[in-house]
Amino acid sequence: MQIGVFGLGRMGANISRRLMRAGHSTVVWDANPASVQGLGADGATPASGLADVVAKLSGSPRAVWVMLPHGKITEDTIAQLAGMMSKGDIIIDGGNTYYKDDVRRGKELAAKGLRYLDVGTSGGVWGLERGYCLMIGGDKDAVDHLDPIFKALAPGIGSIERTGNRDGHDPRAEHGYIHAGPIGAGHFVKMIHNGIEYGMMQAMAEGFDILKNRASPKLPADERFDLNMADIAEVWRRGSVVTSWLLDLTSAALAKDGELSSFSGVVEDSGEGRWTVEAAIEEAVPAEVLAASLFVRFRSRQDHTFAEKVLSAMRFGFGGHVEAPAKA
C-alpha cells in the first residue's frame, strides 16, 4: 500500500522505514529537509510540502499519517490536509493527542466527508526493530482498509508466550495492534497506558533509590550495605516477577554508569499523565499511585533524587527524551 507520512522525528521516520521494509511505499515530508532527504535515500518518495504529499498519493482512498507533537502544530496540519483531500480519504493522527480533541476533530472531518483515525502509538525509538504497539480509534471500514499498514508496523506474535483461552477475542491483539473503538478510543487507551507507565517507572525508581541509600552513614554501621545497582537490575531481569522492558532499560543505564551522572533528575511529563488523572477524576475512580507519580515529576523540577535520575534514564532509553534544563 501507499501512505503519506508527515513528521519525521524520533518515531515518524522509523514508521516510514518499517513500512518500506514490509514492501509498502511512503511519500514523506518534514520541516527539516535533511530528514526528507534521508528517507528519500532509504527509498521513500520525498515531497516538498503537505500539498505535494497529497498530490503524490495515487489511488483512492488516500491516507496520510501525521506524526507530530499534540497541540497547535497537529491541529493546523490536519486542518490544512482537510482542505486538500477528497471524500473518503483517511487522515491518521499517530501522536499523543488528547482524546477529546479527537472526538471534536473527527466530527469536523466527517462533515467534510473525510475519515479520521486516532492511533495511539507505543514503541519509541526502538520501534523500527521491535515494532509499534498500536491502539486505533475510528471507523471500522477505514481501520480494515489500512490493516496491512497496521500489521506491518505492529511487532507480531514474536517469541512472547501466547495467552490461553483467547478464542473469540480479536486475533490482532496478539500481533500488537487493536481497533479499540470509535474516534478517541485509540488515544484514550494510549493515554491510560502512559499513565500506568508513570506509576511503574516511579515504583522502580523509588526502589533503586532505597537500595542506593542503604549505604548512608546515618544508618547503623552493621546495617549499611554498599549495593551494586547494575548487578541488582541485571539479576532482576532474570526470572523475577518485576521483569520488564523498563527494567531492561534501567539495567542498561546502570551498567553504563552506576551513578547515572549524565542525568540531573529533571523529569518532564508529556501530558498523558495529567490527562489520565483528569479522566480518573471525571469517572470518580481512585488512582492514588498514578496521581502521586505525576506530582513527583512536578517536584523533580525543583529538587532531585537518585530516583529521578532513574526516571530520566528510562525516559531516554525508550523514547530518546532529553532532560529539559532545571528551572531557576
Side-chain angles (χ1 to χ4, degrees):
M1 296 185 75
Q2 185 190 42
I3 189 169
V5 180
F6 174 61
L8 306 176
R10 286 192 299 259
M11 292 177 68
N14 282 344
I15 282 172
S16 184
R17 291 188 177 98
R18 187 169 174 90
L19 288 173
M20 289 189 292
R21 285 184 179 184
H24 300 288
S25 62
T26 61
V27 181
V28 301
W29 187 66
D30 189 273
N32 182 356
S35 297
V36 179
Q37 293 169 6
L39 265 294
D42 289 341
T45 300
S48 58
L50 275 181
D52 196 31
V53 170
V54 175
K56 287 179 176 177
L57 293 173
S58 59
S60 180
R62 296 172 295 183
V64 176
W65 185 301
V66 178
M67 200 66 186
L68 295 169
H70 71 84
K72 180 174 171 52
I73 187 171
T74 293
E75 289 283 354
D76 291 348
T77 298
I78 290 177
Q80 291 177 55
L81 279 172
M84 302 171 184
M85 301 182 77
S86 304
K87 184 177 181 179
D89 286 347
I90 305 168
I91 297 176
I92 303 163
D93 180 359
N96 283 325
T97 289
Y98 188 36
Y99 74 98
K100 292 187 178 183
D101 290 333
D102 290 315
V103 174
R104 168 188 50 79
R105 189 184 294 156
K107 292 175 182 177
E108 294 170 352
L109 295 176
K112 299 178 180 180
L114 299 173
R115 292 181 288 176
Y116 175 75
L117 300 180
D118 56 288
V119 181
T121 308
S122 182
V125 296
W126 300 88
L128 177 60
E129 302 300 334
R130 292 172 60 105
Y132 299 91
C133 175
L134 304 174
M135 296 139 272
I136 309 161
D139 174 71
K140 181 180 183 300
D141 289 342
V143 175
D144 290 346
H145 174 74
L146 291 174
D147 186 77
I149 294 292
F150 300 133
K151 186 174 183 178
L153 290 174
I157 292 177
S159 60
I160 297 175
E161 184 177 353
R162 301 183 73 174
T163 302
N165 302 312
R166 280 199 51 83
D167 291 347
H169 291 277
D170 187 345
R172 293 174 293 190
E174 281 193 309
H175 293 262
Y177 68 112
I178 58 168
H179 181 197
I183 291 172
H187 278 148
F188 184 82
V189 174
K190 175 57 161 52
M191 178 184 83
I192 303 304
H193 164 280
N194 283 25
I196 292 170
E197 176 186 287
Y198 277 38
M200 293 174 66
M201 291 172 68
Q202 186 63 34
M204 195 170 295
E206 289 177 6
F208 278 101
D209 203 3
I210 295 168
L211 290 169
K212 182 172 179 58
N213 280 284
R214 199 62 213 175
S216 171
K218 297 178 182 179
L219 297 171
D222 59 351
E223 295 180 11
R224 299 175 200 164
F225 309 134
D226 188 10
L227 302 169
N228 187 302
M229 300 295 101
D231 287 351
I232 293 169
E234 185 62 27
V235 76
W236 282 355
R237 293 181 63 223
R238 310 292 172 173
S240 85
V241 296
V242 297
T243 296
S244 65
W245 187 27
L246 291 173
L247 182 58
D248 294 344
L249 296 170
T250 303
S251 180
L254 289 169
K256 185 177 180 180
D257 174 11
E259 297 298 319
L260 300 179
S261 54
S262 62
F263 298 97
S264 70
V266 176
V267 188
E268 293 295 322
D269 67 289
S270 53
E272 296 88 344
R274 301 187 191 205
W275 300 336
T276 297
V277 173
E278 289 174 2
I281 293 170
E282 287 180 347
E283 300 165 19
V285 171
E288 299 96 327
V289 171
L290 304 190
S293 67
L294 173 64
F295 285 111
V296 167
R297 295 194 178 198
F298 297 163
R299 195 261 303 143
S300 78
R301 296 160 210 171
Q302 301 172 4
D303 179 45
H304 329 302
T305 67
F306 185 74
E308 275 82 67
K309 290 188 176 186
V310 177
L311 289 177
S312 285
M314 282 188 271
R315 293 185 82 241
F316 181 76
F318 65 70
H321 300 289
V322 178
E323 290 178 332
K327 296 180 180 179

